[in-house]
Amino acid sequence: MATFEVIEKEGLRLVKVILQNETVRTESGALYYMRGNITMQSKTPSAGGFLKSLATGENIFRPTYTGTGELYLEPSLSGFHIMELNGTEWILDSGAYWASDGNVEVGVERNKLLSGLIGGEGLFQTKVKGRGQVVMMAQGPVEVVQLQNDRLVVDGNFAIARTNTLNYRVEKATKSILGSMTSGEFLVNTFEGTGTILLAPIPYWQVKLLREITAAIPKTSG
């Protein structure tokens, strides 16, 4: 399988992919540059696939790169997270998919109507399954939360991925509408069951700023 690596250059983060006669798939427009004997291919979807993309809003033009060499994907001020699939199926936050091994199947997951419309995730999300690595865009360091017949309530769109074994819905933060409005947390995303959730609540620039401030504080002895 191809090797994915997140590298940092002058504050920017980008993904480096090493290919040894292998194939990877990326989001449309993700290419930065490549070197070596690598061929890019973007297949025209079938009529059914094109109609499906119109209905779901899912990007169907995800090029593949095959060969031997190095592939670099566009840098970002935010970050990336590399996840290993071992036959599991994950649902990714809208816009989180960035690249994956050629063996990984990329599809569409349909959310419940109400949760999709008001939860910020949209009616359709990207679904990945199989074996291999998947690269996701993440605004900051990723926290892994394991649930065992448990319930997790998340504010905003901090959850960037979840296993398909979890039940997802959107609900009011409190039982009363007035209480939800006055609490400052009107709607929350709720995950229930047994599975894994990936959270990315803190942007990298905030982490960097905190480190710089901490480093500038004079150290006192004793």
Side-chain angles (χ1 to χ4, degrees):
M1 295 183 181
T3 301
F4 294 86
E5 178 186 1
V6 178
I7 59 179
E8 184 171 344
K9 291 184 177 181
E10 298 182 356
L12 294 176
R13 292 166 181 82
L14 56 92
V15 176
K16 173 184 177 181
V17 188
I18 300 176
L19 299 172
Q20 296 290 341
N21 195 26
E22 294 157 321
T23 298
V24 297
R25 179 179 290 105
T26 74
E27 184 67 5
S28 176
L31 176 65
Y32 184 23
Y33 66 90
M34 58 184 178
R35 54 188 299 177
N37 187 20
I38 300 175
T39 301
M40 179 178 66
Q41 186 176 22
S42 183
K43 294 183 178 179
T44 303
S46 63
F50 183 73
L51 292 175
K52 183 179 180 180
S53 72
L54 292 178
T56 64
E58 178 74 6
N59 190 356
I60 54 175
F61 295 100
R62 290 192 171 116
T64 59
Y65 299 84
T66 303
T68 298
E70 296 179 351
L71 177 70
Y72 293 82
L73 305 184
E74 283 193 354
S76 171
L77 285 172
S78 60
F80 302 94
H81 178 72
I82 300 175
M83 176 174 61
E84 185 77 34
L85 296 186
N86 294 305
T88 51
E89 183 174 313
W90 285 76
I91 312 302
L92 309 186
D93 187 19
S94 178
Y97 176 84
W98 194 234
S100 60
D101 190 274
N103 295 322
V104 174
E105 182 180 339
V106 183
V108 177
E109 174 75 6
R110 188 183 189 280
N111 288 322
K112 294 180 181 179
L113 181 60
L114 183 61
S115 296
L117 288 177
I118 66 178
E121 303 291 353
L123 288 176
F124 301 93
Q125 293 178 271
T126 300
K127 175 173 61 178
V128 293
K129 62 180 179 179
R131 295 186 180 276
Q133 291 185 318
V134 176
V135 182
M136 295 180 295
M137 298 189 71
Q139 65 172 349
V142 171
E143 177 184 356
V144 180
V145 179
Q146 302 283 356
L147 295 184
Q148 186 68 37
N149 293 325
D150 205 351
R151 176 172 176 263
L152 178 71
V153 178
V154 181
D155 177 32
N157 296 327
F158 295 140
I160 63 172
R162 69 184 188 273
T163 53
N164 72 325
T165 55
L166 293 169
N167 294 318
Y168 162 71
R169 70 176 184 273
V170 177
E171 58 187 10
K172 299 192 302 294
T174 65
K175 292 183 178 180
S176 70
I177 295 179
L178 179 61
S180 296
M181 294 179 66
T182 57
S183 69
E185 310 293 345
F186 184 53
L187 295 174
V188 291
N189 293 323
T190 301
F191 305 90
E192 288 184 322
T194 298
T196 307
I197 302 171
L198 302 184
L199 303 178
I202 306 175
Y204 274 109
W205 69 266
Q206 290 187 8
V207 175
K208 182 179 179 182
L209 180 61
L210 180 60
R211 289 174 179 171
E212 292 176 348
I213 293 175
T214 303
I217 297 176
K219 295 181 174 60
T220 59
S221 58

